[in-house]
Amino acid sequence: HAAGVIDDAPLVTKSISAIEDVFSPKIHGTQVLDRVFPDGDLDWLVLFSSTSTATAPAGQVDYVAANAFLDAYAQARAGGRTRVLTLGWGIWADRGMAAEALGATRPAGDGPAREIDAPLLSASLLDRDGHRVFTGALSESDWVIGEHRLASGEALLPGTGYLELIAEALAAQGESAPWEIRDLAFLRPLAIAPGERREIRLRLRRSAAGYRVDIRSAVEMQGRKGFVLNAEAEVALGNIPAADTADLAAIRARCAPPEQAAPGAALASAQEAHLAFGPRWKVLQSQSLGEGEGIADLTLPEAARGDLAEGFALHPALLDIATGWAMALIPGYAARHLWVPLAYRRLRLYRPLPAEITSHIRLAEARPGGPDARFDVTLCDRAGNVCAEIEGFTIRRIDSPAALDLEPAPAPEAVEFPDAPNAPAGGAPLSPAQERLRHNLGQGIPAEQGGKAFLAALAAGRSRLLVSSMPLEALIEQTDAEAEAAHGASGGRTFERPRLEQEYIAPEGALEETLAGFWQDLLGVGRIGAEDSFFDLGGHSLIAVRLFARIRKSWGVDLPISTLFEAPSIRALARLLEAEGAAAEAGDSAAEKPRAPRRRFTHLVPMHEGEGGEATPFFLVAGMFGNVLNLRHLAHLLGHDRPFYGLQARGLLGEDEPHDSIPEAARSMIAEIRQIQPHGPYLLGGFSGGGITAYEIARQLEALGEEVALVVLLDTPLPQRRPLSRRDRALIQ
């Protein structure tokens, strides 16, 4: 039995599904062989284990456990009619998992693509990890690029273009408004050179609240095509409160008399001294400012209204001006400076933007002469019906055009290579860990000696043997040295603390230690002192956006980015957080009390890490106590070619009470099932008592005119039993 899977990673970063991937071939595969071949059916059975059970390499706790199971199984079968042996193989020279880790043999590539009908995205596929990826290509012929240029002529995707890409991906995924984009951070400009056609990839990774999103564009690195990270965000689905109606008359009354555009024309927007806009950006019809707020009417040109029919839900040109027309609200604003978007804390979309909208802007935070400003914006139709709500739209002043680097050199860790993600770039230097692995491969067991070693082990008459080209003591010593070298290095992507004016002072207490972990992860510095300056360590506003998003998620405290100018060290920032109530109660760690995002579903729980495949979904109702944890193994055994959802009972999470009846529970579950699969044919199942609910779900779906193709009852009891006689009870006892 030689099957195996390895997936090196720290335990805290591993998902249950990833651990199952490692367990399945060795543990579950052996269990299958045990049932198929009872003792005596075979003369001998050899299970391929690993020397990792002796060396315990860092990042392989699940792999070590799986091989330890094989060793224990062989010992348990000792003395039987079938000889059972585990062979703990060392590293092979040119075959096997270690060679695959260097990309020598691992197959590459994503799943097959299918076309989609969207303005900026053209296809979707499942990547190697089962996540939905949407692809497209942008050039100057696309108006969203060609009509958005710097005054010097460079064409680039506006920040609102990323919002539109997310909206298109959600629509193609079957998700309808209302939904909410959270913590959208712009990390790298997406500039398009003349004649260039740049590929883009948008990935949706499922989360409890909805999805995590990353948007990437193609780059060349070391002779290979990769995709560099441009922006990232989260999307929340469900639990979105109803839209309000804005009192536009009251807002206009608080503001000055409006400035109106001439008939057939548009007002110039605030940044036209630095940006060369095309005709779709000529939308500003009137504007009026008040105390810390403003209101404007915007109209898409007649020639551009066909864009809405093509599927633009958040028209990038209309939205760009609707969020950026009121920069005069910034204290000390001067039109000579270019302002660029940094982040959106939240954009809540209730309905696609119409051709005519009204923008109500409020200045949320800005210091006189400061580099950053933050706005809140409400977008509605002319009747005041809210279409979108924006909170925390943050922009940054660029003091000189030379400071805007449109093509910064990408950091290697920010680039993905979909063709062979584990292989080093052609010609690129290997990391220290890869160098050590390559050295070990050179000393591994040659493939031509494998058969001889196998027969010698089988003839030894033992139940367990280790086979290695290196002495076991030396192998353990080398593994320990590698772990020591990698300690604190975050996968080899961090750097030593630079020489600073102040000495290193260790963080103290849970709050400072948690912040230090955030800084270490985001800045890539292996050891950070409590008094070290964020800016001295290489921090900048883009990293600050991500830092404050983590702070908000962990403690629910919303601080402006400018806080870092007042409190640039971990210790000073911790004091501010304590003043805001972020400190834990005495004796507790604040990091142990994060504010989890509200879940999208009450009942539905995806059993696969990614989308789970393209086939028709399977929905399985959990059994006693309504918990889905024991369904993960079944989902894993059924494979990754179809989505598999567990349905758990209400009342397990939060404050909700359980349902009072099975028909009521079935109706509630159907409402969530139809968000994933609006129409049949449906594939349903139920485990134990959940089978009764599954049967009721099927009955209700058929009553709604839907087709139910399959209902699987796994160990399900009768919903009603006849009364037991005294004889029955006696026989049961």
Side-chain angles (χ1 to χ4, degrees), residues 78-225:
R81 289 177 295 167
T82 297
R83 283 191 53 210
V84 181
L85 164 68
T86 55
L87 279 183
W89 292 102
I91 193 170
W92 290 79
D94 47 9
R95 297 288 190 274
M97 299 175 184
E100 289 177 357
L102 280 180
T105 60
R106 184 167 181 167
D110 298 315
R114 56 182 175 87
E115 292 185 1
I116 63 171
D117 184 17
L120 301 180
L121 299 170
S122 58
S124 78
L125 52 86
L126 293 180
D127 68 9
R128 294 165 55 87
D129 297 316
H131 302 302
R132 179 71 63 192
V133 174
F134 297 89
T135 63
L138 297 174
S139 70
E140 290 183 323
S141 62
D142 296 296
W143 65 259
V144 71
I145 299 291
E147 294 188 25
H148 184 264
R149 299 174 181 270
L150 296 177
S152 52
E154 294 94 339
L156 66 160
L157 184 69
T160 52
Y162 295 94
L163 295 166
E164 172 61 28
L165 286 170
I166 295 173
E168 291 181 17
L170 292 174
Q173 185 77 342
E175 310 290 3
S176 57
W179 42 251
E180 185 175 284
I181 298 173
R182 297 174 177 169
D183 296 320
L184 171 60
F186 303 111
L187 307 176
R188 176 188 174 92
L190 204 170
I192 306 292
E196 180 186 14
R197 188 161 180 80
R198 179 79 67 89
E199 291 182 55
I200 57 173
R201 292 168 65 98
L202 184 152
R203 176 169 51 194
L204 296 180
R205 291 179 289 175
R206 291 192 182 275
S207 67
Y211 298 98
R212 296 187 300 275
V213 184
D214 58 82
I215 301 174
R216 299 175 179 268
S217 60
V219 294
E220 286 289 330
M221 176 174 281
Q222 301 290 341
R224 293 174 57 200
K225 184 176 75 173

Side-chain angles (χ1 to χ4, degrees), residues 543-557:
I543 295 176
V545 168
R546 303 169 82 181
L547 170 64
F548 281 93
R550 291 194 180 190
I551 289 172
R552 186 165 55 250
K553 290 177 186 176
S554 298
W555 295 291
V557 176

Side-chain angles (χ1 to χ4, degrees), residues 3 28 107 126 196 369 385 397 401 419 453 525 535 550 589 658 681 685 714:
H28 308 322
L126 293 180
E196 180 186 14
N385 299 308
R397 188 186 66 222
D419 57 338
V525 178
F535 302 103
R550 291 194 180 190
S589 166
L714 302 173

